[in-house]
Structure formats: C-alpha cells, structure tokens
Amino acid sequence: MKGKIKSNTSCVRFFTLMIALTLSNAPTLIEAKLADRGRIVKARKDRSKASLLMNSRVYNTNTIPSRQIDDNPIEGPKYRGQQRWNAEESNQLRDENESTGNQFTDMPLGEFERELSSQLTGCCYNWQSYSADSLCYKYGQNCATGAEPSNDSSDSDCGMEGLSFIGISFSVNTASGNPYSYQLCDQFPMENIIDRTYDYAMSLDEDGWLVGGGYKSFDYSGKMPYIDSSHTELIRIGALDADYGGTTIDQVYSAMSSISFAPLGVFPEYVKGGGNGGSGDDDSEVPSGDVTLVVSVVEEFEDNDNYSLYEQFLDNIFNAMDAVNGGPCMDDHDTDPHVSMSRGLKFKSSYHEEQYFYSANLEVAVWQSMYPNGVVIGSSGKANFPPENASKNRKYVGYGNLYFFFDRANITKAFPANRDLYSSESYYSTLTQSDVSAYYSKTTSISFDYSSGSGDSSYYEHNPYAWNAGMAMHDMTDGWDLPPNCDQEGETFLGIPLSRKSGSKLQTTSTFQNQFDFDSLVDRNFTYMKSFGTNHGWLVGEELNNGPGSIVDKDTAHIPVFYTGTTNPNMGGMALSSIIKVLKNLNFGTLYIKPAFLFQDEDGAVKLQFEADANSALGYLYDNLCKMLGLSWNYNTPSNKADLYTNCAMHASGDRASYGCGPDNTNSGGFCPQMTIAYAVAFQSEDHAAAFFSKGNDYVDYWRSLYPSGVAVGTNNFCKNGGCLGLFLNRYDLYQVFKPDLGGSWVEYNGATLAPTISPAPTYTNGCKDSRNSHLDKCFMRSHPRNASAVAWNSLGPVGQVSVYLLSFMAVTLSLSIFLARARKKRRRGESYVSFLVRDIRNGNRGGGGGKKKKSKKKKRRTKNRDLEEDMLGGGRPPKPHSSRSQSKSRSKSRSRRPGESSSSKHRSSSKVREGRSSSKSRDGRSHSKGREESSSSKGQESRSSSKVREGRSSSKAREGRSSSKAREVGSSSKRHEEQSSSKRHEERSSSKRREEGSSGKSSSKHRSSSKRRSKEGEHRSRSSSRRKSSTSGEERSSSSKSGRSRSRSRSRSRREGASRVAKPDEDTMAKRQLV
C-alpha cells in the first residue's frame, strides 16, 4: 500500500514538472496597455507585513504605522522602491527557516561547503545573477532617491553652488601644526583657542581643527594633513564655471585689481558653539556641533563720509564684479564675518564643554584688551601663492591684505591695501613682536557674554559603555563615540587602496589599481547634482580649478576594513610600529572584491557598496583582525603573538564578518565594505538623483559581469598579484602595504618603497583531516605543496635573483673566452669553430676512454754547462723522423777537441751548429751570445767538437741532446757531404766574423797550422767548463773529459780521411739536401 502511494506521488510530481516546463517554454505575448487604476487598488489592499517595512533604514522596523496602512504609496520614490518589499519578505522567510532549524535538514552537506574559489580565487557567488538595483534592495538601501539641497539658491540661473570667496586670512605656522602652513596673522595666536591635547574634546570630523596651524602627516589623531585654513569670508564668489552661472578666476582678478581699499581692522568678539555637526545626531548620542570665532570688521569713517570704509569696499567690489560680467552664483551681499574653527565636534560631557568655552573666551578677552579698537591683520614675514609655489620668489606679506581663496585651503592671490599703516595702526599690528605677558596677567575674567549659541545648555555625558560594534559604520563628517579607556580619537585604519592617476586628478595621485575607473561614477559637470555639503568634492580625485571650488584633493579612493584608532599609546591607542609588528605576522589570503551597487546613505554620502561575503578572504581577514586587535567586549578578549593591543579600535574582538551588512549577514556588526565617493551631496531634484544612480548602477552592472567572482586589485608596479592590504594614516596617506600569504610588506608613503601575509579561517574540528576544511588556505596549501625550487627561487628576492643571473652570465662569457682562445691556438687551417668543437669533444671522449695514452710533458734536462746549450746556427735543420729515448750525460763531454783538425771540418761543424740553432726553439739568448764568443776566439779543435755536440741537440725540437754518441763517431758519408755543402753556403755569411777573429781565412793550411795552439786552449776551457756545469761528480767529469778528447782526435782524423775518399755528389742530390 505504501509503495503504491509513493509511486502515485512520484507520477504526480513528474506530470507537474512537465506542465511547468511546457508553460515556461510557451511564447510570451507582449502588448501595450493604457494606464489604469489597478495598481492603486492593489496598493490600498496590501496588508502584508513587508509593506510595513518599506524603505526602513533599520532592519525589521516598521516605517508605516498600523493606522496608516491604507495610505501605502502609489507613486513617487517610495513606490519605485517596492522591489524592496520582496527582499524584506525573503529576509523574513530566511529568519523563520533559521529559527525552526529545518533549513538544512533535507539538503546534502556538500551544498553548504564553501567553494574553493571563494577563498583562493574569488568571492561573492551567492548573488551573481542579481543586478545592482536588485541587490541594492537586498542590502536594505534605496537606490532610486537622493537628498535635495535644504536652502536652494533663489537665483534660478545659477546651476552650481561653489565655495570660492574673498576674505582675510588668520593662518599661523606653529610647531605642532603643518610645517607648510602660512604665517599671515601675527596678531591672534589661534593655537591658544583650540584643544589639540583633547583635554575637553572627545572627537571631531576627519578635518580636525581648521585653525591653529593645521596637522602634520603623522599626527596621533590621524586627521587630514592640511595646512592652516583659518579665515573669514567677506564676499562669497561661489562657483567658478561660467557655463553654470559662475565667475571665472580671471574675472575675479580683474575686478579686484580695478578697485582700491584701505586696510580693514578686525575685532574679535567671542568663541561660540552650535550647529548640528556633520550629520546631526539624535538624542541617544553625544551631541556634535561646530565651533566658531565670531569677529567683526571695524567700521571706520573718513571726514564727512556717511559710509564706512568697509561699506565703500563692498559697494566697489560688487560694482566691479558687475563690470566684468560676474556670474549670478555670486552672493549679492556680504557674509557675517566669522572664523570656522571645527565641525562635528563632540565634547566628553557638558562640563567639559563649559570649561572649553570659558578657556577659549578668556583668550579672546586678552585679545580684546590688546586691541580695544580692533587691529589690521598681517605679518612681517614672507610668502608666495599659490601653495605649490610657496617656497619660490617669496615676498613681503605686509598688513591689510585681502586674499582670494580658491578653496578653504588654497590661497591663489593676495591683494594689498592702497596705503601703508598709520603709526597708531602699526603699533597694534606689531604689538605681539614685543612682550605681551602683562596683558595675560591682568586679564582674569571675561567681560562679555559668550553664552549665546555656545553649545547645548542641557546636561549630557559620554557613556563609553554604550558603545557598540555597529558604530564602526561611521560618518566621517562627524566625531566618533569612543569606547572605554580611550581618551583620543584616531582616523588610522586598515583598508584596500583603490586610487588611481588620471588626467582629471592631481599629479600627486598614486595608482594602486587598474581594474576600476571611478570617474564614471562622478558628476563633474553638475548635470544631476547641485552642491556639496562640505568643502570636500569628489573623493576619488578632484580637478584643478574645479567649478564649485572644492578642496583640490588627490584620489583617496579606498575601502576601510578595520579602524585601529589613535596611534598615541598614552591615550589608550596603539603605536604605529606596534600595528605594523602585529600585521606582519597576520596570515590572510588574497583579497577579492566585487562591486554591488551605488547608493546614497542616510547621512547624504554617495557610496559604492561592495558585496559583504563573510566567507571570502576579506571576511576571514576581518574576523582575524577582530580576534587580534579588537576591543575586549562581551567577555571576548583579543590575542596576538606580539601581545600588543589597543583600547581605541572601533571593532569588538567578538565581532565577525557574518554579523555585518548584507542579506547573508545579521546587520549588527562592523563589517560592511563600502567606498565613499562624496560627502553630503545635494541633487537638483529627486528625479535627477534617480537618474544619477540609475546611470551609475549601469556601470556597476558592467563591472559585475566583468568580474563575476570578484577581482584582486593591483597594478604591475603595486601589488602585482593583487589582493593587498594597506595601513592608512588617514584617508589621505597610505603608509604601509602588506601582501597576502605572508608575502611581506613595504612602505608606500609619499611614493617611497622598501623591500617586501594566509588566514587561519573558521574551521571545523579535526583540522585538515575534516573534508569540510579542505577549501581553507591552510589545508589547501598542505594538499597542494608548492614546488621546492620555486620556493627557493622566490626566497632569494630580487637582489639574490639578479646576482644568480649575473654569475651565470659571467660563467658563460668566461667559458666562451676560454674556448675561443683554445680554438685560435689549436684549430686547423680552414677549420671552423664548430668543427673544432666537435673534433675537440671527440678527442676528449676518446682520451677519456683510456684507449689513447696521455702524453706526458717532457721536462728539460738541467745542465750546468751552458756552452752546450748555445744555438750556434740560425738556419736550423729539419728534425729526425725518430727520437732517441736515451741521452747520456757524458755524451757531449766525450767529444774531445783534437788539435790539428782541418779548416773544413771546423766550418762544417760551425755551420751545423748554426742550422741547429735556427731550428731549435728551446735555446735562449745566452747560449747564442756565448757561441758567438767562442766562434770569434777560434779555439780550434775544442770549439769544433763543442759545436758538433750542439748540432746534434738542435736537430729536433722534442729531442734535446738524445742523439747517439755512436752515430756521431761513425758518421755516414752522405752526412759528411751535407756538412761540406752547408759549410760552403755559410762561408760567405761568416767571413766577416772570421776576419774579426783574426783569422785570414785565405787558405786551409793556415787553419791547420794554428789548430794545435787552439787545441791546447780548448782543452783548458773544456776542462774548466766541465768542472762548472756538469751534474755528475768531479772525478767522473775529469775522466770523461780525457776520454772525450782522445775520441775527438780520432774522430777528426777519420773525418778528414773520409772526406778525401768520398766523391763529390751530383747537383740533384745537393738540391734535394738543401730543400730538406
């Protein structure tokens, strides 16, 4: 029975599925209809719970009371936001499923395991099919409406509101402020009326104090490093774009140059508070407001004038502006003179507020006692404008100048007064150059009323324990609510840098990514927007000479991830070096981001939301930052290896990415990746705002299709592989960059760089053994180990790798040099280098096999008889075809000189010696000179016998002195003939030498008659030479010399007898011998 029911149920399901598929594939008929009232009736009958949550900015909070259910919107922005109702319904359904606990029971476990690409190669898979507009409502935002200006200009011809003006500067340069601030006011020490040490103030907006010298780049508070911008406006010029009703800079310069004005005096009135701060807080928070120094322009009258000098100046400047065709955006009246000191200031309590205003106004009371009738503002220093030329061509500032402010922080031109100061005016203007301590000692009370407008009169006190993790979603135009044990705010944070350089931005902008061009999301031509609520314009880079006169900032685009707070350890913060130390040990994966939608938040800021994927590497990074640097909160405490912590972070240690914003998260934490594009933007109308966001989200949809799995941003010169984390001193200054997977870090501040982390993500038990943890960084790296050679190569770093390349190059070039040198020496004639290389390799292989016996280099026998090594003849003779393996020591000594040898024998012997000398390369110059000396002395038989010995040695290069003594004694007939012919050929060459030797050379008989005398001298010389240079003992040398002389005599006789018996060879034989 159960089987039949189950089969019937399966059939029903099958047919239902087939019908649904058929209907889905059916053609859709599109037809046009006239507008009817059906949607109005439907909207009035709507009683769903989701309709009560329409456009709610607080999750699960009704915006329509029950008594107004029948008044549901039927048109306008709230009606256009009806797509959000479905999103609210889906969120409620998800909450109900989670509460029942049955959401995952019928689904396999693999459905909920994170995809590997979500951690290592991407993110944001759950909402890939959603458009930017649909995803906007999923996140609880409204992308169809925008804020409108609260006080619109009455002149409809002005299409752009601007902030340029003409006024008086109160800028000072102080030791604690920005070193590039101008010193234009010697009269009022403005640093005495601000609370730089946070004795009374708890926090301010990101600009901090606007007076008193500005801020340094490494200030503990992390405020924007602007120069002192204190001033008072006299005339608001407004926009500078003539196409939108503005007045150009050239027109302003021309008008100011055409008028004349006297030095204007200024009188300080009092310091007051008031206003709603940056965004206007409700009663549940500490109130925030602005602080202002009220001043007045001294009204001076000349004789018989009904209008003061100041009123005359106003009339003249307005007339001059009309004369140059100034635009309608310029104010037609003067402003109330005041000096804006700060915005979004929050005091610690109402008591601290009272104390601050009393202290500041007491300083103003001293100024009033010093300048009872006001004072002309100026300085005795030097300066030049605009700020980028401040250090060039500096000129004397003087007193009574008016300045044109392109924006609050940029003075572009100074206009001097038409006369010098009177003596009375000069006295007060230069009073601070002398000792003024007497004025401070005698002023102990405040004689004027400053209570009007000086902040909130009701009692309040900051409760640090009311802090919550959601406060990390902060409006930067307002002050922070600090957590417990934190005495100073700070703007330092960790985030992803997204700025880039383009033609419309300042040249100081650095390029940190090439994936997104955020210029597509801004309205520089004011087509849709009307004005900015602050002095800041587009934060993704403002143009030089922009129309509204916004502060010309470089591109500061970024995604803040984790606010670390102040870097002052004495105020509860964490030193910059400590933050870097902790982050260098932080293991995180490559950070992927994906744009979601463009919208305007409740504070009026235009932002680009990125998908808040809690399971991405960015979500894991946030979790670990909270664990390591978050606040001790709700029984959760941070922990890190460096044991360094802060009390001023704006995130709790127990906070997690899953508590952040987005449809997948609980919307109660501080994880919400957003990029602020502009503060407090006011659009021309609601329709203009809807059109702006519609066009902007079209670009976002393009990026979503381009990067469906997100993208790790970077460039070829910055974070080449993408996904880096940056440490920002403030929105303006990126200081340190950390690469993922513990890839190192480097300094990026001001373009300077130094040499260059894999996250312990949330895991199941049993570590990497659990298959559900296999997608995590740590487990993935264990299962996919990196190549050891790649790790070793990367560990060398750029310097080591270059060194290896250099050594390899040097080794190759050295090998080539050695080969070329060897080839030039040993290659055959006409043989190429390649052929020589092949032959050389073959010979080397054959020799290495052992088949060919390696030649041993023969050492030259050392002899002490240098006479026997002389090369007597230069002609030389060819070596013998065979070599004698033995060489007797006594061979040369056995050849004795026999007196009475014939002259022809001597000549033959002498010529042979010279031939042997020319053919031998092992004879040195010493033997040659010695041979000449012996030849010239004509020592008879001994000389001939010695030359005969040297002839035998020089007959072959490789056979020094190895000829057989027997061969020399016997001699062949052909050899004697050859010697005779050689002697005749050489006779002419040696005739001159023989004449110098005293020999007549005319007849052989004379040689024979003197042979006995030379023989005796030769015997004596031979004996002395034998004693000096023989390597044997003295006795052997003596006996050898005697036997040698006897053998020499007999050999000479046999030669003479043989010469007479042998017939003269024919001419052919002689020619062959000469050739050989």
Side-chain angles (χ1 to χ4, degrees):
M1 189 68 181
K2 291 182 180 179
K4 291 182 178 181
I5 294 174
K6 184 176 292 186
S7 62
N8 292 336
T9 305
S10 301
C11 292
V12 171
R13 289 181 179 177
F14 174 76
F15 286 113
T16 303
L17 179 62
M18 294 298 297
I19 294 172
L21 290 174
T22 304
L23 293 176
S24 62
N25 294 329
T28 303
L29 299 178
I30 302 175
E31 58 181 10
K33 293 183 179 180
L34 296 176
D36 56 20
R37 304 286 292 178
R39 63 184 179 87
I40 299 177
V41 176
K42 181 181 178 181
R44 288 177 175 174
K45 292 181 179 180
D46 192 352
R47 296 293 188 274
S48 65
K49 183 178 179 181
S51 64
L52 304 180
L53 305 178
M54 181 184 55
N55 292 332
S56 173
R57 294 192 180 274
V58 181
Y59 177 73
N60 211 22
T61 302
N62 293 358
T63 56
I64 302 179
S66 58
R67 64 179 182 275
Q68 297 180 6
I69 290 178
D70 294 335
D71 297 331
N72 287 342
I74 58 176
E75 61 183 1
K78 293 184 180 296
Y79 172 75
R80 289 195 294 270
Q82 62 184 348
Q83 296 182 23
R84 180 175 173 186
W85 301 356
N86 298 330
E88 294 291 347
E89 287 180 336
S90 64
N91 289 340
Q92 293 172 14
L93 181 60
R94 175 175 58 83
D95 293 341
E96 292 174 0
N97 292 335
E98 290 178 353
S99 62
T100 57
N102 297 325
Q103 183 180 5
F104 309 125
T105 53
D106 298 333
M107 296 185 182
L109 184 61
E111 294 284 337
F112 292 91
E113 290 185 2
R114 262 190 75 241
E115 298 182 40
L116 180 63
S117 57
S118 300
Q119 170 66 19
L120 300 175
T121 59
C123 72
C124 321
Y125 281 80
N126 295 340
W127 307 97
Q128 280 188 352
S129 61
Y130 280 69
S131 65
D133 189 63
S134 299
L135 202 58
C136 176
Y137 297 106
K138 283 289 185 181
Y139 275 74
Q141 302 294 342
N142 187 356
C143 296
T145 61
E148 299 181 50
S150 57
N151 50 350
D152 198 2
S153 175
S154 59
D155 197 333
S156 59
D157 295 333
C158 179
M160 179 188 298
E161 293 186 9
L163 302 173
S164 300
F165 61 91
I166 296 172
I168 301 173
S169 176
F170 294 87
S171 175
V172 295
N173 187 294
T174 63
S176 301
N178 193 304
Y180 299 103
S181 294
Y182 287 107
Q183 180 63 37
L184 303 178
C185 177
D186 295 341
Q187 293 69 36
F188 300 143
M190 303 295 289
E191 66 272 17
N192 292 345
I193 60 174
I194 66 174
D195 182 22
R196 195 183 289 272
T197 57
Y198 288 85
D199 294 329
Y200 313 106
M202 179 176 65
S203 60
L204 303 89
D205 71 348
E206 67 172 7
D207 293 334
W209 295 102
L210 307 178
V211 303
Y215 286 91
K216 297 178 180 180
S217 294
F218 288 88
D219 192 87
Y220 287 138
S221 63
K223 298 301 181 183
M224 297 292 288
Y226 291 142
I227 62 175
D228 191 337
S229 60
S230 54
H231 64 269
T232 181
E233 291 186 19
L234 299 182
I235 299 175
R236 174 67 66 91
I237 302 299
L240 300 175
D241 193 336
D243 296 335
Y244 293 89
T247 305
T248 64
I249 296 179
D250 293 335
Q251 289 174 325
V252 175
Y253 289 173
S254 178
M256 287 296 297
S257 301
S258 64
I259 64 173
S260 175
F261 59 91
L264 301 177
V266 176
F267 183 80
E269 298 288 350
Y270 56 91
V271 176
K272 72 167 188 174
N276 293 324
S279 60
D281 297 318
D282 54 32
D283 296 334
S284 62
E285 298 176 353
V286 176
S288 65
D290 303 336
V291 177
T292 304
L293 170 64
V294 178
V295 298
S296 59
V297 178
V298 177
E299 300 279 352
E300 293 187 275
F301 295 85
E302 293 186 349
D303 295 339
N304 301 322
D305 282 343
N306 294 325
Y307 294 96
S308 65
L309 296 177
Y310 179 54
E311 290 176 331
Q312 293 179 23
F313 162 73
L314 293 177
D315 290 339
N316 292 336
I317 187 61
F318 283 122
N319 292 333
M321 286 295 182
D322 291 339
V324 297
N325 298 320
C329 292
M330 185 182 67
D331 289 351
D332 54 1
H333 58 82
D334 64 312
T335 59
D336 295 330
H338 66 277
V339 180
S340 296
M341 297 173 56
S342 68
R343 299 188 177 97
L345 173 61
K346 291 183 177 182
F347 291 99
K348 297 178 181 179
S349 67
S350 57
Y351 171 78
H352 289 85
E353 181 181 356
E354 282 182 26
Q355 295 300 312
Y356 166 75
F357 282 110
Y358 177 83
S359 175
N361 282 290
L362 185 60
E363 178 71 20
V364 174
V366 175
W367 296 348
Q368 290 182 358
S369 64
M370 293 169 62
Y371 315 116
N373 298 317
V375 63
V376 178
I377 305 300
S379 174
S380 59
K382 294 183 178 181
N384 190 24
F385 308 99
E388 58 264 25
N389 298 326
S391 60
K392 306 174 184 177
N393 302 322
R394 293 161 59 89
K395 297 180 181 179
Y396 174 69
V397 175
Y399 300 89
N401 295 336
L402 297 181
Y403 301 93
F404 174 72
F405 290 77
F406 175 80
D407 58 59
R408 189 192 73 207
N410 287 285
I411 300 175
T412 60
K413 192 173 182 60
F415 301 96
N418 58 7
R419 63 172 175 83
D420 293 333
L421 298 181
Y422 298 141
S423 59
S424 58
E425 294 173 335
S426 178
Y427 169 78
Y428 289 107
S429 295
T430 59
L431 183 60
T432 54
Q433 298 178 10
S434 59
D435 186 13
V436 294
S437 59
Y439 293 98
Y440 284 89
S441 60
K442 73 177 183 180
T443 305
T444 58
S445 61
I446 303 174
S447 59
F448 53 87
D449 183 14
Y450 63 90
S451 60
S452 175
S454 295
D456 194 348
S457 59
S458 61
Y459 175 81
Y460 66 89
E461 183 178 2
H462 170 58
N463 180 15
Y465 296 97
W467 181 90
N468 60 77
M471 291 182 178
M473 301 299 297
H474 178 64
D475 175 23
M476 301 306 294
T477 64
D478 212 353
W480 295 88
D481 287 327
L482 300 183
N485 303 317
C486 180
D487 298 325
Q488 182 180 350
E489 62 171 338
E491 309 292 343
T492 305
F493 65 91
L494 300 169
I496 302 176
L498 297 177
S499 64
R500 57 182 292 170
K501 182 184 296 183
S502 68
S504 63
K505 301 177 179 64
L506 289 177
Q507 294 303 307
T508 55
T509 297
S510 299
T511 299
F512 298 141
Q513 56 88 19
N514 292 324
Q515 287 71 29
F516 303 104
D517 184 7
F518 297 119
D519 272 345
S520 305
L521 303 181
V522 301
D523 180 21
R524 299 192 185 278
N525 297 325
F526 279 59
T527 304
Y528 308 101
M529 61 170 297
K530 182 71 174 180
S531 64
F532 294 107
T534 68
N535 293 104
H536 300 285
W538 299 108
L539 305 184
V540 295
E542 192 54 270
E543 289 181 333
L544 290 167
N545 301 325
N546 60 83
S550 301
I551 294 179
V552 183
D553 274 341
K554 64 180 181 180
D555 190 343
T556 60
H558 66 274
I559 301 175
V561 178
F562 190 91
Y563 286 96
T564 59
T566 180
T567 56
N568 187 355
N570 297 327
M571 303 292 281
M574 190 175 185
L576 195 62
S577 58
S578 299
I579 299 174
I580 295 173
K581 186 175 182 180
V582 172
L583 292 178
K584 282 185 175 181
N585 297 321
L586 177 61
N587 216 347
F588 66 92
T590 303
L591 304 180
Y592 283 80
I593 57 174
K594 182 180 180 181
F597 54 87
L598 183 69
F599 73 106
Q600 186 174 25
D601 68 3
E602 58 186 4
D603 298 320
V606 175
K607 295 183 177 182
L608 177 62
Q609 177 74 52
F610 290 83
E611 288 199 30
D613 186 357
N615 294 322
S616 65
L618 183 60
Y620 290 166
L621 170 64
Y622 182 82
D623 293 348
N624 285 283
L625 287 173
C626 292
K627 294 176 183 178
M628 299 173 69
L629 296 175
L631 299 176
S632 297
W633 200 256
N634 289 340
Y635 304 104
N636 291 310
T637 57
S639 176
N640 58 69
K641 294 181 180 179
D643 201 24
L644 298 170
Y645 308 100
T646 177
N647 293 322
C648 295
M650 299 307 296
H651 306 267
S653 60
D655 193 12
R656 297 293 180 266
S658 58
Y659 304 157
C661 65
D664 294 330
N665 305 319
T666 62
N667 294 276
S668 60
F671 177 69
C672 193
Q674 297 175 346
M675 185 190 77
T676 304
I677 298 177
Y679 297 134
V681 178
F683 293 93
Q684 298 180 20
S685 67
E686 192 172 289
D687 292 334
H688 283 83
F692 171 81
F693 290 112
S694 176
K695 290 183 176 296
N697 282 313
D698 287 343
Y699 283 101
V700 176
D701 285 333
Y702 167 72
W703 291 332
R704 290 180 60 80
S705 63
L706 190 63
Y707 309 114
S709 301
V711 61
V713 297
T715 67
N716 292 331
N717 299 322
F718 175 86
C719 191
K720 187 174 183 179
N721 297 325
C724 293
L725 177 69
L727 172 60
F728 290 78
L729 303 176
N730 45 58
R731 175 173 60 86
Y732 203 83
D733 292 323
L734 174 64
Y735 179 67
Q736 190 99 358
V737 180
F738 303 89
K739 293 183 68 175
D741 301 328
L742 290 177
S745 63
W746 69 93
V747 174
E748 191 65 29
Y749 180 72
N750 272 351
T753 57
L754 296 176
T757 66
I758 310 173
S759 300
T763 60
Y764 293 92
T765 57
N766 298 327
C768 293
K769 295 180 180 179
D770 194 328
S771 60
R772 292 173 292 182
N773 295 332
S774 61
H775 62 281
L776 302 178
D777 286 357
K778 189 174 182 179
C779 300
F780 180 83
M781 294 183 67
R782 287 184 180 181
S783 59
H784 300 79
R786 297 177 63 187
N787 191 357
S789 59
V791 174
W793 176 253
N794 293 333
S795 65
L796 294 176
V799 177
Q801 292 171 0
V802 171
S803 301
V804 172
Y805 283 129
L806 184 60
L807 289 175
S808 302
F809 175 77
M810 293 172 63
V812 170
T813 53
L814 180 60
S815 302
L816 288 176
S817 301
I818 294 174
F819 167 74
L820 292 176
R822 179 181 175 85
R824 291 192 187 100
K825 183 178 179 181
K826 295 190 175 184
R827 70 188 178 115
R828 298 168 181 171
R829 180 176 298 178
E831 186 180 21
S832 64
Y833 286 100
V834 177
S835 301
F836 170 77
L837 178 62
V838 174
R839 181 171 62 84
D840 195 41
I841 294 174
R842 289 177 178 175
N843 292 339
N845 293 337
R846 195 181 303 120
K852 187 176 182 180
K853 188 175 182 179
K854 185 178 180 181
K855 283 189 176 183
S856 60
K857 186 177 181 181
K858 297 177 181 179
K859 295 185 178 179
K860 182 180 178 181
R861 185 175 63 86
R862 295 177 176 269
T863 60
K864 295 185 178 180
N865 191 354
R866 296 294 182 183
D867 297 327
L868 302 181
E869 295 180 1
E870 292 179 353
D871 191 0
M872 299 296 295
L873 299 178
R877 60 184 297 180
K880 293 181 180 181
H882 62 87
S883 61
S884 179
R885 303 300 298 174
S886 63
Q887 182 176 359
S888 176
K889 280 187 178 182
S890 62
R891 183 186 56 198
S892 61
K893 301 167 188 170
S894 66
R895 297 180 188 140
S896 61
R897 283 73 174 172
R898 182 178 179 181
E901 278 187 1
S902 65
S903 175
S904 62
S905 177
K906 176 189 175 185
H907 292 322
R908 286 194 302 271
S909 177
S910 176
S911 64
K912 276 189 174 294
V913 171
R914 290 186 181 89
E915 288 179 4
R917 182 179 57 190
S918 63
S919 65
S920 177
K921 297 183 180 179
S922 63
R923 303 295 188 268
D924 53 8
R926 289 180 296 176
S927 63
H928 180 70
S929 62
K930 190 176 292 186
R932 261 192 327 210
E933 179 183 352
E934 290 181 3
S935 177
S936 63
S937 62
S938 301
K939 300 301 180 179
Q941 193 70 20
E942 179 184 355
S943 174
R944 287 193 300 273
S945 177
S946 177
S947 64
K948 186 68 179 176
V949 173
R950 285 191 291 273
E951 171 204 350
R953 287 186 185 177
S954 61
S955 63
S956 176
K957 296 179 184 178
R959 301 170 184 85
E960 297 177 356
R962 295 182 181 177
S963 299
S964 173
S965 60
K966 183 178 179 180
R968 284 194 178 89
E969 292 174 0
V970 178
S972 64
S973 62
S974 61
K975 191 178 215 179
R976 286 194 296 272
H977 287 307
E978 181 181 342
E979 291 174 355
Q980 186 177 3
S981 62
S982 299
S983 176
K984 289 180 181 180
R985 285 196 307 270
H986 194 68
E987 192 170 7
E988 280 185 66
R989 204 180 307 164
S990 60
S991 61
S992 60
K993 291 186 179 180
R994 289 198 300 272
R995 284 196 299 269
E996 293 176 0
E997 294 169 358
S999 175
S1000 61
K1002 294 181 180 181
S1003 64
S1004 60
S1005 60
K1006 289 184 180 181
H1007 288 285
R1008 283 192 297 270
S1009 63
S1010 61
S1011 60
K1012 294 181 179 182
R1013 186 173 58 255
R1014 287 195 302 271
S1015 177
K1016 293 178 180 181
E1017 294 176 359
E1019 289 176 7
H1020 176 72
R1021 190 180 299 273
S1022 176
R1023 284 193 298 268
S1024 61
S1025 175
S1026 299
R1027 282 194 300 270
R1028 284 195 308 269
K1029 299 185 177 180
S1030 178
S1031 60
T1032 59
S1033 63
E1035 295 179 358
E1036 291 177 349
R1037 285 199 301 268
S1038 176
S1039 61
S1040 176
S1041 176
K1042 292 179 182 179
S1043 61
R1045 284 196 300 271
S1046 63
R1047 284 195 297 269
S1048 177
R1049 293 190 190 99
S1050 61
R1051 189 166 54 248
S1052 299
R1053 277 193 226 102
S1054 63
R1055 284 177 184 171
R1056 285 195 300 273
E1057 293 172 358
S1060 61
R1061 291 194 300 267
V1062 176
K1064 183 179 181 181
D1066 56 2
E1067 295 180 357
D1068 295 335
T1069 304
M1070 291 294 296
K1072 291 179 181 179
R1073 290 175 179 175
Q1074 290 177 8
L1075 291 175
V1076 173

